[in-house]
Amino acid sequence: MPESSVDVVHWWRQKNLRTLNLLLIFPLLSIFTQGYDGSMMNGLQAVESWRTYFGEPKGSTLGLFNAAYPIGGLCAIPFLSFVCDGFGRRVSLATGAAICCLGAALQAGAANLPMFVVARGILGCGTVFLGSSGAPLITEIAHPSQRTTATALFNTSYALGSIVAAWTTFGTFRIDGSAAWRIPSAIQGLPSIIQLCGLYFVPESPRWLISKDRSEEALAFLTKYHAEGRENDPMVQFEYNEIQDALAYERSIDRGSWIQNYVEFIRTAGNRKRLFILLWTACIAQLSGNAFVSYYLSPVLTSVGLTTSLEQTLINATQQMLSWVSALYFATLPQKIGRKPLFLGSLCCILICLIGITTGSAIFAKDSSNKAAGGAVVAFLYLFSPAYNLGLNGNLGLYITEILPFHLRMRGQACYQLFATSFTLLTTYAFPVGLQNMAWKFYLIWLPWVVVEFAIVWLVYPETKGPSLEEIAEIFDGPGGSGVLNEKVDVEHAEIVGGEKREGVQSVEYSK
């Protein structure tokens, strides 16, 4: 890729690039609602008025409360590609935000258990639209030199949502009556309202615009935001031509039917590998023991002697703060370290945390006076979130987006959401039953499973650090598989003209 004429090191000095990066805040809020939901349900389980209102839900009943969320998500998946590819990334985000506003309103006004469960299903439906559309939009509009970090930041708003929910439930649990849980339920719709107000100003993806024969609008976007108005900028022309070539190639292999286009995932070795990675990444994201922290922290804390609402809501709130800080920092690492090392390092750290939680819980179960064992469990629960965020937060969202070429991106996101939501449904329903029936022994299941996850990532996952979105296709499909000219370049480390930071600049090799 030609040199950038914009100083992206000091991006805040560039009017249009500064505007673009600030507008990215609105799609970045997409995962906020999911993080809020998990932390809120953790907090509500520690709120006495919520437990009393719904009859002290435990086991399968408690699982139903949380399982309704992914069930709603499954209902949205068939429409993802139709809405996002047909009407644009922004329309898909707005659809999800509007659905979430409706779900939050119903949840806050729930009069009984069925109404609360239905409201959670509606919220799950909306968040699937948000989660599937936000990352592709950010990836496709961010400046090439900032794409990696911008996309990796996408999932960090999950932890931010968790913090807001945790401190909200900590602040409201003392309120007498149903307001203690209705207030947090209503606030869940706030980020979606902010998104609906801000999406009007967010530009549409240039790749989507070109796919709809709106090439002039796409070029105008690239010129304005990636080159500060210089239409003849070499990098802008390179981006524009590369997208044109890639989409022309993808049109040539389009099957003309949405069913046939989904079948495309099993037609070639490269696409079969993509599909397997989407499946396995969804498995890792949901089946690495993280449901303990995300949805069932309260029963875990109760099992080691921490039973009061004050203790549980305070631990939930402070743990989420550590999670957010770690997620923000780790989002900067994929560009520096690469994707695969972060996946592997994260799984190693998760295994250590699970061993600590299991050991401490087993000791406390035998001797409830052993406060050190209970304290060790709490310590490893705190460390679990940073361990997870190291490779399975921003890095994961970036990876599953960039391995998919444009014509498969939203269908791939739909497949990932199908897999992830199915695994979430399994864990949210099964975990409380397992904890109730097996106590700490239930944790033992996850120790060998994380080892299996590590082995598969080590053997199967390719590294994608460096190439542009269009060039990553060659890693899976071989030379020419992207439909663009074979130009070897490390986009993430391309030289910046006008910037002060030039050390470590890699040479750009063209091999047409």
Side-chain angles (χ1 to χ4, degrees):
M1 179 174 288
E3 299 170 346
S4 173
S5 61
V6 175
D7 178 8
V8 294
V9 173
H10 304 100
W11 57 266
W12 56 89
R13 297 176 182 172
Q14 312 298 322
K15 177 184 176 182
N16 294 330
L17 183 56
R18 178 176 67 243
T19 300
L20 176 63
N21 286 345
L22 291 176
L23 289 174
L24 289 178
I25 291 173
F26 295 108
L28 282 170
L29 283 174
S30 299
I31 301 295
F32 185 103
T33 303
Q34 290 186 18
Y36 188 99
D37 183 81
S39 183
M40 183 192 72
M41 290 306 297
N42 260 335
L44 292 185
Q45 291 170 56
V47 176
E48 185 176 351
S49 63
W50 182 85
R51 297 197 306 266
T52 303
Y53 192 92
F54 291 107
E56 298 287 341
K58 295 179 180 178
S60 59
T61 303
L62 180 58
L64 177 62
F65 272 96
N66 287 320
Y69 196 78
I71 290 174
L74 288 173
C75 297
I77 288 171
F79 305 99
L80 282 177
S81 180
F82 170 76
V83 175
C84 204
D85 286 336
F87 299 97
R89 295 2 182 177
R90 294 192 309 165
V91 171
S92 184
L93 279 174
T95 300
I99 293 172
C100 285
C101 288
L102 173 62
L106 289 175
Q107 185 174 254
N112 48 45
L113 187 149
M115 187 173 176
F116 192 89
V117 170
V118 169
R120 291 190 51 69
I122 293 173
L123 280 165
C125 176
T127 54
V128 165
F129 276 103
L130 293 175
S132 299
S133 309
L137 178 60
I138 293 171
T139 298
E140 292 167 9
I141 68 176
H143 193 282
S145 64
Q146 298 176 338
R147 174 182 61 82
T148 300
T149 300
T151 309
L153 282 170
F154 178 71
N155 278 351
T156 62
S157 65
Y158 183 100
L160 182 59
S162 298
I163 291 175
V164 174
W167 284 108
T168 301
T169 53
F170 177 75
T172 61
F173 85 87
R174 299 174 182 83
I175 299 175
D176 293 329
S178 62
W181 59 268
R182 293 188 191 277
I183 292 174
S185 296
I187 293 176
Q188 188 166 2
L190 179 60
S192 295
I193 294 174
I194 296 173
Q195 278 192 304
L196 285 173
C197 294
L199 281 173
Y200 176 80
F201 304 98
V202 177
E204 184 55 86
S205 160
R207 288 170 174 81
W208 182 82
L209 290 172
I210 292 175
S211 74
K212 298 301 180 182
D213 297 320
R214 295 162 62 180
S215 300
E216 291 184 2
E217 294 176 57
L219 181 59
F221 165 83
L222 295 172
T223 299
K224 178 178 179 180
Y225 290 108
H226 290 186
E228 295 297 314
R230 306 179 187 95
E231 184 173 331
N232 294 323
D233 181 271
M235 191 193 72
V236 166
Q237 293 300 318
F238 179 90
E239 278 190 278
Y240 180 71
N241 292 328
E242 185 181 48
I243 296 171
Q244 289 272 26
D245 291 342
L247 291 183
Y249 169 75
E250 290 169 6
R251 286 193 186 102
S252 71
I253 62 174
D254 185 80
R255 303 289 175 172
S257 161
W258 71 271
I259 295 178
Q260 290 298 318
N261 284 329
Y262 271 103
V263 173
E264 189 69 26
F265 273 107
I266 61 175
R267 280 202 171 96
T268 68
N271 286 344
R272 287 193 293 271
K273 185 171 184 177
R274 288 185 178 99
L275 185 63
F276 176 78
I277 288 176
L278 291 173
L279 170 65
W280 196 251
T281 304
C283 175
I284 293 172
Q286 304 301 329
L287 292 179
S288 297
N290 44 302
F292 296 128
V293 178
S294 297
Y295 280 95
Y296 300 110
L297 183 62
S298 180
V300 173
L301 292 175
T302 300
S303 71
V304 292
L306 298 170
T307 58
T308 69
S309 296
L310 176 63
E311 289 174 326
Q312 292 187 1
T313 55
L314 183 60
I315 289 174
N316 185 35
T318 52
Q319 184 261 344
Q320 298 299 345
M321 293 180 69
L322 176 61
S323 177
W324 183 52
V325 172
S326 65
L328 283 177
Y329 174 70
F330 292 148
T332 67
L333 298 183
Q335 183 168 339
K336 302 173 183 176
I337 299 175
R339 288 51 156 171
K340 187 172 181 177
L342 291 178
F343 277 123
L344 297 174
S346 182
L347 289 171
C348 287
C349 294
I350 286 173
L351 180 61
I352 293 171
C353 290
L354 288 175
I355 291 173
I357 292 169
T358 304
T359 304
S361 298
I363 295 173
F364 188 87
K366 292 182 178 180
D367 180 10
S368 59
S369 65
N370 192 329
K371 302 300 181 184
V377 172
V378 173
F380 280 108
L381 286 171
Y382 269 96
L383 292 173
F384 187 94
S385 289
Y388 184 92
N389 291 338
L390 177 62
L392 304 183
N393 189 294
N395 184 59
L396 182 148
L398 168 66
Y399 193 76
I400 63 171
T401 300
E402 65 184 6
I403 67 172
L404 296 165
F406 180 83
H407 73 293
L408 293 176
R409 191 161 295 145
M410 286 314 304
R411 297 183 185 96
Q413 288 283 340
C415 290
Y416 174 80
Q417 290 292 338
L418 173 63
F419 301 145
T421 306
S422 299
F423 290 132
T424 302
L425 177 60
L426 171 64
T427 58
T428 53
Y429 192 80
F431 268 49
V433 178
L435 288 171
Q436 186 177 34
N437 295 333
M438 299 176 64
W440 67 269
K441 295 182 180 68
F442 185 59
Y443 307 150
L444 292 172
I445 297 173
W446 308 104
L447 302 181
W449 181 247
V450 172
V451 175
V452 173
E453 291 177 340
F454 179 95
I456 297 298
V457 172
W458 176 274
L459 294 172
V460 176
Y461 282 41
E463 180 57 68
T464 56
K465 175 178 175 287
S468 69
L469 287 176
E470 280 68 34
E471 293 166 338
I472 287 174
E474 295 186 5
I475 297 175
F476 290 85
D477 304 318
S482 63
V484 299
L485 294 175
N486 187 24
E487 299 180 349
K488 304 298 182 182
V489 58
D490 189 338
V491 174
E492 295 170 17
H493 297 84
E495 184 172 7
I496 300 164
V497 174
E500 297 176 4
K501 185 176 180 181
R502 288 176 173 267
E503 63 271 20
V505 173
Q506 299 187 14
S507 61
V508 181
E509 174 192 347
Y510 293 95
S511 53
K512 292 186 180 180

